[in-house]
Amino acid sequence: MSNADIEAERDVLAYPAGATGLPLVGLTIGTDGYWSARFWQRDGRQMRRHWCEKVRVVGSQVYKIYPNDNITPPPPRKEVLKRTFDTWGRESQNTIARLKVGIVGLGSVGCIVAEAIARIGISQVTLIDPDRVEEHNLDRLLYGTARDIGKLKVDLAAEAMRRHATAGRIKITAFPLSIHDETAYKAALDCDILFSCVDRPVPRDVLNYIAQAHLIPVIDGGVAVETDRRQDRLSSAHWRAHIVTLYHQCLRCNGQYNSSMVVMELDGSLDDPSYISNLPPEERGGNQNVFPFSLGVAGMEVNLMLRYLLAADWWPLVRQQDYQFVTAETRIINSECHPSCSFRQRHAQGDAENPPYLIRTPPESWWRTVRQRIVRFFDKVSWKS
């Protein structure tokens, strides 16, 4: 900042802003196009400047991240990442390595995404999933074995990521909670980019709010499989991945869920066998999937994130990729939100447009989870000794 910039913010603007009880945010763009940002907050009689860790610029074509090198210095080039640095260059890898990535859902797709994130040198990861490993997960769960049945999926993924990480130090924060739990929701808002690896309407609705109101890009994907029960064979399958921002079609408009499905999940109808049996076949949904299909959609999601970060100005616009297994075709779909989409009114509204059904975890429940983890840790230490 020049002296004129400092005087303008600290001496002219900061005090009127302080009178409102709100901090002042200052933004500067350098001659090289690099953005920096800081908060001015009152400290007694003085206004103190607090530099931001990074500035994020969400665009339709490319997602630009401008880290503050003084707060988060770029990682040194390491031999273990030689091929990664050589593939997309030092500048791009320095940006990728300093991302804070959130993965919502650590099932068959989420665990593969987590493995890729660990391997490319990302050092800050948030994992969100309330579920535990069950026997029927083992044919699709990358890290799962029979000995892991009953473990929290976030714990299993975190353990594997720490073993396989190529970053010098990797910080993984795991939340064994649903994304519409307020604690997990706030953790997601602290991420630079989110992977949606869920198959339920409520999590997708929450992630839609985050992408549209809070301007945090979401990379969503899913697998659809149809089986011919009479012939006992695969009928069709396709998987797709898409970027969700205010410039891209939202999750509701691209058909990933609808409002009635959200209501059904919240009131329990979506899990009521008697209710589901009365639905038309096309509305019942299904859980068919296999590891190779999960691998396909996870690869799509990760590569779509990389493309959004690395895109050059002349690259064509990509919004949704849809792979048809039977015809072996990948389709590029560039639809926009419907004119009547309510999420258009939520663009960049921040906390004014949070989901109305967020739940608050009682402090005693959160402490109980932490206490159980501590007990398990010391049990392992005692067993090893």
Side-chain angles (χ1 to χ4, degrees):
M1 295 179 68
S2 67
N3 289 332
D5 291 332
I6 294 172
E7 290 175 3
E9 291 186 4
R10 183 193 62 199
D11 301 336
V12 178
L13 298 174
Y15 284 97
T20 67
L22 300 173
L24 171 72
V25 179
L27 283 163
T28 305
I29 186 169
T31 55
D32 58 354
Y34 206 94
W35 283 95
S36 63
R38 59 262 159 208
F39 285 90
W40 290 91
Q41 293 179 305
R42 185 181 295 279
D43 181 9
R45 294 185 177 181
Q46 294 183 319
M47 299 301 293
R48 298 287 185 186
R49 180 179 57 184
H50 303 275
W51 287 101
C52 296
E53 184 178 311
K54 60 177 71 97
V55 175
R56 305 184 304 225
V57 180
V58 180
S60 59
Q61 181 76 4
V62 65
Y63 183 31
K64 291 289 188 181
I65 310 288
Y66 300 94
N68 186 324
D69 291 346
N70 294 322
I71 298 175
T72 54
R77 181 183 173 106
K78 299 170 59 180
E79 186 63 23
V80 70
L81 283 166
K82 180 180 184 301
R83 297 291 176 87
T84 303
F85 272 95
D86 290 346
T87 297
W88 44 61
R90 178 181 292 274
E91 183 178 346
S92 294
Q93 179 58 21
N94 287 344
T95 297
I96 291 168
R98 289 181 282 182
L99 286 173
K100 188 167 187 179
V101 173
I103 305 174
V104 183
L106 275 301
S108 58
V109 174
C111 275
I112 300 171
V113 170
E115 178 72 8
I117 294 305
R119 297 282 182 176
I120 62 175
I122 290 173
S123 60
Q124 295 186 79
V125 184
T126 297
L127 305 177
I128 300 171
D129 192 320
D131 294 340
R132 294 180 180 272
V133 178
E134 299 181 51
E135 186 175 7
H136 68 264
N137 301 140
L138 298 183
D139 65 338
R140 291 166 293 117
L141 202 58
L142 178 63
Y143 307 129
T145 68
R147 292 180 298 178
D148 299 315
I149 293 174
K151 286 186 179 180
L152 288 164
K153 290 182 179 179
V154 288
D155 287 348
L156 190 65
E159 290 170 8
M161 291 185 76
R162 292 187 182 100
R163 289 196 304 268
H164 304 160
T166 55
R169 289 184 63 184
I170 186 167
K171 179 183 177 183
I172 302 172
T173 308
F175 293 88
L177 302 167
S178 299
I179 184 64
H180 66 293
D181 184 287
E182 190 176 51
T183 302
Y185 179 75
K186 288 181 178 179
L189 295 182
D190 196 35
C191 295
D192 299 316
I193 197 162
L194 291 164
F195 283 95
S196 168
C197 306
V198 298
D199 58 2
R200 306 280 289 190
V202 167
R204 280 200 164 110
D205 192 50
V206 173
L207 289 164
N208 220 14
Y209 271 94
I210 292 175
Q212 304 295 326
H214 294 274
L215 305 186
I216 299 172
V218 171
I219 309 295
D220 180 73
V223 181
V225 178
E226 292 185 16
T227 303
D228 186 335
R229 297 298 184 188
R230 290 175 297 178
Q231 299 292 326
D232 192 27
R233 62 182 295 175
L234 177 70
S235 176
S236 67
H238 75 100
W239 48 90
R240 67 185 187 185
H242 30 264
I243 303 168
V244 186
T245 73
L246 74 168
Y247 297 107
H248 301 83
Q249 194 176 41
C250 82
L251 287 171
R252 193 164 64 186
C253 288
N254 69 18
Q256 291 298 86
Y257 75 97
N258 58 49
S259 297
S260 64
M261 294 168 66
V262 174
V263 174
M264 287 166 56
E265 182 177 352
L266 290 172
D267 69 15
S269 300
L270 205 61
D271 297 311
D272 183 352
S274 61
Y275 180 87
I276 294 172
S277 64
N278 292 320
L279 288 173
E282 66 274 11
E283 294 183 18
R284 294 180 189 177
N287 295 316
Q288 304 98 322
N289 194 13
V290 289
F291 186 83
F293 294 173
S294 296
L295 189 65
V297 70
M300 264 190 175
E301 287 196 42
V302 172
N303 286 317
L304 203 52
M305 177 200 76
L306 292 172
R307 193 186 189 283
Y308 192 31
L309 289 164
L310 304 177
D313 292 339
W314 57 270
W315 289 8
L317 180 68
V318 173
R319 285 183 173 141
Q320 178 176 308
Q321 299 178 11
D322 193 320
Y323 180 78
Q324 300 289 331
F325 181 73
V326 174
T327 60
E329 295 176 300
T330 300
R331 303 171 186 172
I332 307 299
I333 303 169
N334 282 327
S335 301
E336 297 181 353
C337 279
H338 303 307
S340 60
C341 175
S342 62
F343 279 95
R344 287 173 174 260
Q345 309 303 317
R346 298 184 171 115
H347 287 174
Q349 294 299 302
D351 288 336
E353 286 291 348
N354 290 324
Y357 48 78
L358 291 178
I359 58 176
R360 182 169 297 177
T361 304
E364 61 273 13
S365 299
W366 180 248
W367 167 241
R368 188 182 302 117
T369 301
V370 174
R371 185 170 54 199
Q372 288 172 349
R373 291 188 180 188
I374 293 171
V375 170
R376 287 200 301 268
F377 171 77
F378 281 108
D379 284 346
K380 290 180 182 178
V381 172
S382 300
W383 182 81
K384 289 180 180 179
S385 59

